[in-house]
Amino acid sequence: MTARLRGRALVTGGTSGIGLAFARRLALRGLDLVLVARDEGRLGTIAAELGALGVDVETMVADLSTREGSDAVCGRLADEDRPVEVYVANAGHGLYTPLAAEDTAPHHAAIDLMVRAVLDTGAAAARAMTARGHGVIIPIGSISGMIATGHYSAIKAWTNSWAESLATELEGTGVTVTCVLPGWVRTEFHQRAGMSTGKIPDALWLDPDQVVVESLDAAEQGDYRVVPSLRYKVIAFAAERGPKAAVRAVSRIIQGGRR
């Protein structure tokens, strides 16, 4: 059988955290890369590191929270001269601004980056891949989308649902969608958002490499969703099928631990 994960992969937010772990693992599988991030210096450093693995690494400086940035990535995904066969929609950030805050600008910025840009770039990838009859789209959702811990949960609930809907829409085209629903992962993500993580038990933390290995295995099999690690599979089952009052109670505890 021909591998699903082949050719060239484009990874947004590919210079740190889960995005960088995806880029490394894809390079180790022999895929060429297009790395998208805002920091040109860091892009150059990571490109040199991954290029040493024997793959071609292209870089794009783009801020996906802007129309200009997301349009540039859409254009790259649509380029048939240098086709992208795997798209990892990873760019994002934490969001802990209260929903009732007077200044809702952080919420609008989060929607631009983690909803609008994902919708637009995902559509561009799907069109190009469908025309070729092959491709893999890997959006990064979250277990957070199964609970109620503010606007980040709401956004990730959208991502989780959008990805499953896109997978359904693309059935039979040769293009598959595998949504990744991680729990807490040890990256720079929480520190950049100013989130306190001291109260989160060590047992709930995942290594980004573990997340990516399980996610790529699921994508290779064409699964529409993957929840990395057994413990988070159990948590996801409880969140989806447990009493809603209990899920809200847990959500309140998590929210309180962030303050």
Side-chain angles (χ1 to χ4, degrees):
M1 293 179 63
T2 302
R4 292 181 191 274
L5 300 172
R6 64 179 190 261
R8 181 182 286 105
L10 187 150
V11 183
T12 61
T15 59
S16 64
I18 293 175
L20 177 55
F22 264 106
R24 285 196 181 113
R25 281 287 167 177
L26 288 164
L28 287 169
R29 286 174 177 247
L31 277 75
D32 293 326
L33 298 170
V34 183
L35 301 182
V36 181
R38 294 178 298 174
D39 188 327
E40 185 173 6
R42 194 162 184 173
L43 272 170
T45 300
I46 298 300
E49 173 194 330
L50 298 180
L53 297 175
V55 299
D56 179 68
V57 184
E58 175 187 344
T59 62
M60 287 186 66
V61 179
D63 181 352
L64 275 86
S65 68
T66 68
R67 288 279 183 181
E68 180 183 17
S70 59
D71 285 351
V73 173
C74 287
R76 181 63 189 84
L77 289 164
D79 187 346
E80 284 305 307
D81 293 330
R82 300 170 296 162
V84 171
E85 297 195 73
V86 178
Y87 174 39
V88 181
N90 167 75
H93 59 65
L95 177 64
Y96 305 108
T97 303
L99 286 165
E102 184 174 352
D103 180 10
T104 59
H107 295 295
H108 290 281
I111 290 170
D112 282 337
L113 175 61
M114 294 185 283
V115 176
R116 181 191 54 76
V118 171
L119 176 67
D120 291 351
T121 59
R127 289 193 300 270
M129 292 174 180
T130 299
R132 293 192 300 269
H134 170 265
V136 178
I137 299 172
I138 306 176
I140 308 303
S142 177
I143 284 287
S144 181
M146 297 180 172
I147 56 178
T149 55
H151 196 192
Y152 185 79
S153 282
I155 286 172
K156 288 304 182 179
W158 177 88
T159 307
N160 298 348
S161 179
W162 168 82
E164 184 174 353
S165 297
L166 184 61
T168 301
E169 184 176 313
L170 296 178
E171 282 183 9
T173 66
V175 182
T176 58
V177 181
T178 300
C179 189
V180 181
L181 279 67
W184 280 296
V185 185
R186 289 199 185 279
T187 67
E188 304 167 13
F189 179 89
H190 304 287
Q191 287 74 22
R192 287 180 174 179
M195 174 187 169
S196 173
T197 59
K199 296 181 180 180
I200 299 172
D202 287 343
L204 289 179
W205 287 104
L206 299 176
D207 178 77
D209 205 47
Q210 173 192 359
V211 170
V212 170
V213 168
E214 292 190 35
S215 299
L216 292 180
D217 287 348
E220 190 65 72
Q221 295 170 27
D223 297 340
Y224 82 91
R225 187 178 89 169
V226 55
V227 180
S229 83
L230 176 60
R231 55 191 177 277
Y232 276 107
K233 285 180 172 64
V234 172
I235 291 170
F237 181 89
E240 287 186 311
R241 294 171 174 80
K244 292 303 180 183
V247 174
R248 286 196 298 273
V250 171
S251 299
R252 285 194 295 272
I253 292 170
I254 294 171
Q255 279 284 72
R258 289 173 174 172
R259 299 192 182 100

